[in-house]
């Protein structure tokens, strides 16, 4: 499984990278994005099973991003 973490605060992304134990959680990869725009680019190139997203971001809030992601990349049945 692959995880994408999205947050506009570098300190939060750094903390997530330090605290999330990929092996223990059975994850093969963790990517980060500092904005919804950057996350859109990553989603266009990669499939992620887990997305962690900040709610309050300057250009686009996490709720709007999540709605877009679910419409563009619906979960397989």
């Amino acid at each position: 499984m692959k995880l994408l973490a999205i947050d506009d605060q570098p300190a939060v992304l750094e903390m997530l990278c330090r605290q999330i134990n990929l092996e223990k959680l059975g994850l093969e990869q963790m990517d980060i994005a500092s904005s919804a725009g950057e996350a859109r680019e990553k989603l266009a190139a990669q499939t992620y099973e887990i997305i962690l997203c900040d709610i309050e971001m300057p250009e686009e809030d996490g709720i709007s991003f999540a709605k877009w992601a679910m419409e563009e990349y619906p979960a397989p049945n």
Side-chain angles (χ1 to χ4, degrees), residues 38-76:
E38 185 179 350
R40 288 173 191 262
E41 291 174 10
K42 290 188 182 279
L43 279 171
Q46 181 79 44
T47 300
Y48 295 95
E49 288 78 21
I50 303 170
I51 299 175
L52 299 176
C53 187
D54 185 10
I55 299 293
E56 294 182 22
M57 295 186 291
E59 296 172 15
E60 179 180 1
D61 66 76
I63 302 294
S64 297
F65 173 79
K67 287 179 183 177
W68 172 85
M70 288 189 297
E71 289 173 5
E72 291 295 315
Y73 303 97

Side-chain angles (χ1 to χ4, degrees), residues 7-26:
D7 200 298
D8 61 311
Q9 296 179 40
V12 172
L13 291 174
E14 289 173 21
M15 183 271 307
L16 287 172
C17 288
R18 282 193 316 269
Q19 296 295 320
I20 293 178
N21 184 326
L22 298 179
E23 188 176 309
K24 185 174 182 179
L25 295 174

